[in-house]
Amino acid sequence: MSRLRPVFAWASLAGLVAAGAAQSAAVLREANPARPDDAKTVEQMFADAPDGVDPVVTGPVRAAFKQRQKDASCDTAVWPNIPRACYPD
């Protein structure tokens, strides 16, 4: 029995580490939920516009927003498959 004591100790330690890692992953998942705007599609956001909504902004915008639109390929997007990132917040 004394030979198995270190085996049981290491197995217990491994179980505690695995449980801690699983709990940590669960907490991280809860801490970073999906953004609320990802929950809706643009079709749902603009349900009163059955023909679609043009994501072109006609006023001044920040360079970061222009880059976000460029990264999302907003200039080639076709309704209803327009990414949420194409619309201003």
Side-chain angles (χ1 to χ4, degrees), residues 13-32:
L13 181 62
L16 287 173
V17 169
Q23 181 181 5
S24 178
V27 168
L28 285 175
R29 221 175 291 126
E30 289 176 13
N32 296 323

Side-chain angles (χ1 to χ4, degrees), residues 38-88:
D38 289 342
K40 287 184 173 179
T41 65
V42 290
E43 199 169 13
Q44 291 169 331
M45 290 173 49
F46 302 108
D48 57 335
D51 295 326
V53 176
D54 190 2
V56 175
V57 178
T58 57
V61 294
R62 293 187 199 139
F65 177 69
K66 288 182 182 180
Q67 185 62 43
R68 185 174 80 180
Q69 283 187 318
K70 185 177 178 183
D71 293 344
S73 301
C74 296
D75 57 340
T76 59
V78 178
W79 183 264
N81 298 321
I82 299 174
R84 171 65 181 100
C86 297
Y87 296 95

Side-chain angles (χ1 to χ4, degrees), residues 1-12:
M1 189 65 168
S2 63
R3 287 185 188 177
L4 295 178
R5 193 173 297 171
V7 173
F8 288 130
W10 283 109
S12 297

